[in-house]
Coordinates of all heavy atoms in Angstrom, one line a residue:
M1 N 0.9 -1.2 0.0 CA 0.0 0.1 0.0 C 0.9 1.2 0.0 O 0.6 2.2 -0.7 CB -0.9 -0.1 1.2 CG -1.7 1.2 1.4 SD -3.0 1.3 0.1 CE -3.8 2.7 0.5
I5 N 1.3 4.4 -3.0 CA 1.2 5.8 -2.7 C 2.4 6.6 -3.1 O 2.3 7.6 -3.7 CB 0.9 6.0 -1.1 CG1 -0.5 5.5 -0.8 CG2 1.0 7.5 -0.8 CD1 -0.8 5.5 0.7
I6 N 3.5 5.9 -2.8 CA 4.8 6.7 -3.3 C 4.9 6.8 -4.8 O 5.2 7.7 -5.4 CB 6.1 5.8 -2.8 CG1 6.1 6.1 -1.2 CG2 7.3 6.3 -3.5 CD1 7.2 5.3 -0.6
I7 N 4.5 5.6 -5.5 CA 4.5 5.6 -7.0 C 3.5 6.7 -7.4 O 3.8 7.4 -8.4 CB 4.2 4.3 -7.5 CG1 5.4 3.3 -7.2 CG2 3.9 4.3 -9.0 CD1 5.2 1.8 -7.5
L11 N 4.4 9.8 -9.8 CA 3.7 9.9 -11.0 C 3.2 11.4 -11.2 O 3.4 12.0 -12.2 CB 2.7 8.9 -11.2 CG 1.9 9.0 -12.5 CD1 2.8 8.6 -13.8 CD2 0.8 8.0 -12.5
L18 N 7.0 17.6 -16.6 CA 7.3 17.2 -18.1 C 6.6 18.1 -19.1 O 5.6 18.6 -18.8 CB 6.7 15.8 -18.3 CG 7.4 14.7 -17.7 CD1 6.7 13.4 -17.9 CD2 8.8 14.6 -18.2
A20 N 6.3 18.3 -23.6 CA 6.1 17.2 -24.7 C 7.6 16.7 -25.0 O 8.2 17.3 -25.9 CB 5.5 17.8 -25.8
V22 N 8.3 13.3 -25.6 CA 8.3 12.2 -26.4 C 8.2 12.6 -27.9 O 7.3 13.5 -28.2 CB 7.1 11.3 -26.0 CG1 7.1 10.1 -26.9 CG2 7.2 10.9 -24.6
T23 N 9.0 12.1 -28.7 CA 9.0 12.5 -30.2 C 7.9 11.8 -30.9 O 7.5 10.6 -30.4 CB 10.3 12.4 -30.8 OG1 10.7 11.1 -30.8 CG2 11.4 13.2 -30.1
I29 N 0.0 7.1 -32.0 CA -1.3 7.5 -31.5 C -2.3 7.3 -32.6 O -2.2 7.7 -33.8 CB -1.3 9.0 -31.1 CG1 -0.4 9.2 -29.8 CG2 -2.7 9.5 -30.8 CD1 -0.3 10.6 -29.4
K31 N -6.3 7.9 -33.6 CA -7.4 8.7 -33.3 C -8.7 8.0 -33.9 O -8.7 7.5 -35.1 CB -7.4 10.1 -33.9 CG -6.2 10.9 -33.3 CD -6.1 12.3 -33.8 CE -4.9 12.9 -33.2 NZ -4.8 14.3 -33.3
N33 N -13.2 7.4 -33.6 CA -14.6 8.0 -33.2 C -15.5 6.8 -32.9 O -15.3 5.7 -33.5 CB -15.2 8.8 -34.4 CG -14.5 10.1 -34.5 OD1 -14.1 10.8 -33.6 ND2 -14.2 10.5 -35.8
D40 N -26.9 10.3 -29.0 CA -27.1 10.8 -30.4 C -26.0 11.7 -30.9 O -26.3 12.7 -31.4 CB -28.5 11.4 -30.5 CG -29.0 11.6 -31.9 OD1 -28.6 10.7 -32.8 OD2 -29.7 12.6 -32.1
F45 N -11.9 9.6 -29.4 CA -10.9 9.2 -28.3 C -9.5 8.9 -29.1 O -9.4 8.6 -30.3 CB -11.4 7.9 -27.6 CG -11.6 6.7 -28.4 CD1 -10.6 5.7 -28.5 CD2 -12.7 6.5 -29.0 CE1 -10.8 4.6 -29.4 CE2 -13.0 5.3 -29.8 CZ -12.0 4.4 -30.0
Y48 N -2.9 5.6 -27.3 CA -1.5 5.6 -27.4 C -1.0 4.2 -27.3 O -1.5 3.5 -26.4 CB -0.9 6.4 -26.3 CG 0.6 6.1 -25.9 CD1 1.7 6.6 -26.6 CD2 0.8 5.1 -24.8 CE1 3.0 6.3 -26.2 CE2 2.2 4.8 -24.5 CZ 3.2 5.5 -25.3 OH 4.5 5.2 -25.0
G52 N 7.0 -0.6 -29.8 CA 7.1 -2.0 -30.1 C 5.9 -2.8 -29.9 O 5.9 -4.0 -29.8
V65 N -7.8 7.9 -19.6 CA -7.6 9.3 -19.2 C -8.8 10.2 -19.7 O -9.2 10.2 -20.8 CB -6.4 9.9 -19.9 CG1 -6.2 11.4 -19.5 CG2 -5.1 9.1 -19.4
T73 N -1.4 14.0 -23.4 CA 0.0 14.3 -23.7 C 0.8 14.1 -22.5 O 1.9 13.5 -22.4 CB 0.4 15.5 -24.4 OG1 -0.4 15.6 -25.6 CG2 1.8 15.7 -24.8
S75 N -0.1 12.5 -19.7 CA -0.1 11.1 -19.3 C 0.9 10.2 -20.1 O 1.6 9.4 -19.6 CB -1.5 10.6 -19.5 OG -2.4 11.3 -18.7
S86 N 11.6 3.1 -13.5 CA 11.2 2.1 -12.5 C 10.5 0.9 -13.2 O 9.6 1.0 -14.0 CB 10.2 2.7 -11.5 OG 9.6 1.8 -10.7

Side-chain angles (χ1 to χ4, degrees):
M1 176 70 178
I5 293 172
I6 290 175
I7 291 172
L11 179 66
L18 290 174
V22 179
T23 66
I29 294 178
K31 297 181 181 193
N33 290 319
D40 194 32
F45 62 96
Y48 161 81
V65 178
T73 304
S75 299
S86 171

